[in-house]
Amino acid sequence: MSASRTAHVILPPPEMEHTPANCRAREMLVRVADKWSMYVIHVLADAGTLRFSELRRRVDGVSQRMLTVTLRGLERDGLVTRRIYPEVPPRVEYELTPLGSTLRDIVHELIEWSGAHLTEVDEARARYDAQLHDPKFVSA
Amino acid sequence: MSASRTAHVILPPPEMEHTPANCRAREMLVRVADKWSMYVIHVLADAGTLRFSELRRRVDGVSQRMLTVTLRGLERDGLVTRRIYPEVPPRVEYELTPLGSTLRDIVHELIEWSGAHLTEVDEARARYDAQLHDPKFVSA
């Protein structure tokens, strides 16, 4: 702690200080830490190149608008490439960039984790929900 | 492919079929693939045990309501424990459960990735934004 700071000031830990790099890392996590972005990266990592309609079928539950917004964000961040073939109707294909491919393992790990811990999470939810209906439960 | 399926039917890849386990894995990814859940896991993994106010200071930019909602979700899923000490005012502390701790490395990797690739993403965004203002750019 520097001499100019008084002892009673509670300082944030160094990694949480508002350096530009920290703020940017947070902002980037916004893009990646998003369910649909993760699914799109996961699906493209497995499939290679896909057209919009194929991608939409595989990213189950995504709306057309949400997939469009997600792909634009991933493209802007340099994680996904969009290639337009001048056919009639135009063919548009998406694939991961080399940068996007570096997320492959992390995203797969997270999806694997989700699959591996289903039962534990189910049990935890059942316990939590039972407790909510227990008159001894005090909310804080 | 089973004999009862005709060849022209485009089948989803096996990992995308609607088995209950797949649907549940998707649902769970919703909880974890969320910026604030990841920050809370990241901060608790480093700090151990924290009170709400300490957690809020470290999870920079989170609102009181969003932090409350995030913590309830993580608690319900068995990833975070909330301990209430009957003092005046009551002290409430949060920490990762053993299950929550298994996410530590994945979340750290994602945050490290974000920090490591800031420059590449910045450059990609600048290129994308410049292209949007280029009259030759055709949106599809």
Side-chain angles (χ1 to χ4, degrees):
Chain A
M1 192 180 293
S2 78
S4 65
R5 286 164 167 169
T6 58
H8 70 272
V9 173
I10 299 165
L11 296 171
E15 73 277 14
M16 286 294 147
E17 286 190 42
H18 290 263
T19 64
N22 274 339
C23 292
R24 290 299 325 285
R26 268 192 284 274
E27 187 193 326
M28 279 194 47
L29 192 60
V30 179
R31 158 78 46 235
V32 176
D34 157 82
K35 180 179 65 157
W36 297 123
S37 295
M38 289 208 181
Y39 269 126
V40 167
I41 291 167
H42 178 64
V43 165
L44 287 177
D46 278 346
T49 303
L50 289 176
R51 300 174 70 152
F52 187 90
S53 57
E54 294 165 332
L55 202 42
R56 190 172 168 201
R57 205 175 54 245
R58 290 181 191 220
V59 181
D60 190 60
V62 74
S63 68
Q64 175 149 345
R65 165 151 177 77
M66 188 48 75
L67 183 54
T68 302
V69 168
T70 302
L71 285 167
R72 289 291 160 101
L74 291 170
E75 192 190 352
R76 180 169 183 258
D77 287 352
L79 303 172
V80 161
T81 327
R82 182 176 52 148
R83 281 215 185 74
I84 306 164
Y85 296 89
E87 301 171 0
V88 180
R91 182 158 53 101
V92 185
E93 289 184 348
Y94 296 88
E95 65 180 332
L96 291 183
T97 61
L99 180 60
S101 299
T102 63
L103 279 166
R104 181 196 176 107
D105 290 348
I106 302 176
V107 168
H108 281 201
E109 267 179 70
L110 198 53
I111 287 173
E112 251 176 45
W113 186 96
S114 300
H117 295 284
L118 283 180
T119 311
E120 283 161 274
V121 171
D122 265 344
E123 287 166 0
R125 285 181 181 175
R127 276 195 304 274
Y128 186 90
D129 294 346
Q131 193 188 37
L132 283 183
H133 297 103
D134 182 336
K136 292 196 300 297
F137 179 74
V138 179
S139 185
Chain B
M1 193 180 293
S2 80
S4 64
R5 287 164 168 170
T6 57
H8 69 272
V9 173
I10 298 165
L11 295 170
E15 72 276 15
M16 287 291 147
E17 286 191 43
H18 290 263
T19 65
N22 274 340
C23 292
R24 289 300 324 285
R26 267 191 285 274
E27 187 193 326
M28 279 195 46
L29 192 61
V30 180
R31 158 77 48 235
V32 175
D34 158 81
K35 180 178 65 157
W36 296 123
S37 295
M38 288 210 182
Y39 269 125
V40 167
I41 292 167
H42 178 63
V43 164
L44 287 177
D46 278 345
T49 303
L50 288 176
R51 300 174 70 152
F52 186 91
S53 55
E54 295 166 331
L55 202 44
R56 193 175 165 198
R57 205 174 55 244
R58 292 182 191 219
V59 181
D60 191 60
V62 75
S63 68
Q64 174 148 346
R65 167 152 176 77
M66 187 49 75
L67 183 54
T68 302
V69 168
T70 301
L71 284 167
R72 289 290 161 100
L74 291 170
E75 190 190 352
R76 181 169 183 258
D77 286 352
L79 304 172
V80 160
T81 327
R82 181 176 52 148
R83 281 216 185 78
I84 307 166
Y85 296 88
E87 302 172 0
V88 181
R91 183 158 52 102
V92 185
E93 289 185 347
Y94 297 88
E95 65 180 332
L96 291 182
T97 62
L99 180 61
S101 299
T102 63
L103 278 166
R104 181 197 176 107
D105 290 348
I106 302 175
V107 169
H108 281 201
E109 266 179 70
L110 198 54
I111 287 173
E112 251 177 44
W113 186 97
S114 301
H117 295 284
L118 283 181
T119 312
E120 283 162 274
V121 171
D122 265 344
E123 287 167 358
R125 285 182 181 175
R127 277 195 303 275
Y128 185 90
D129 294 346
Q131 193 188 37
L132 283 183
H133 297 104
D134 182 337
K136 294 195 300 293
F137 180 73
V138 180
S139 186

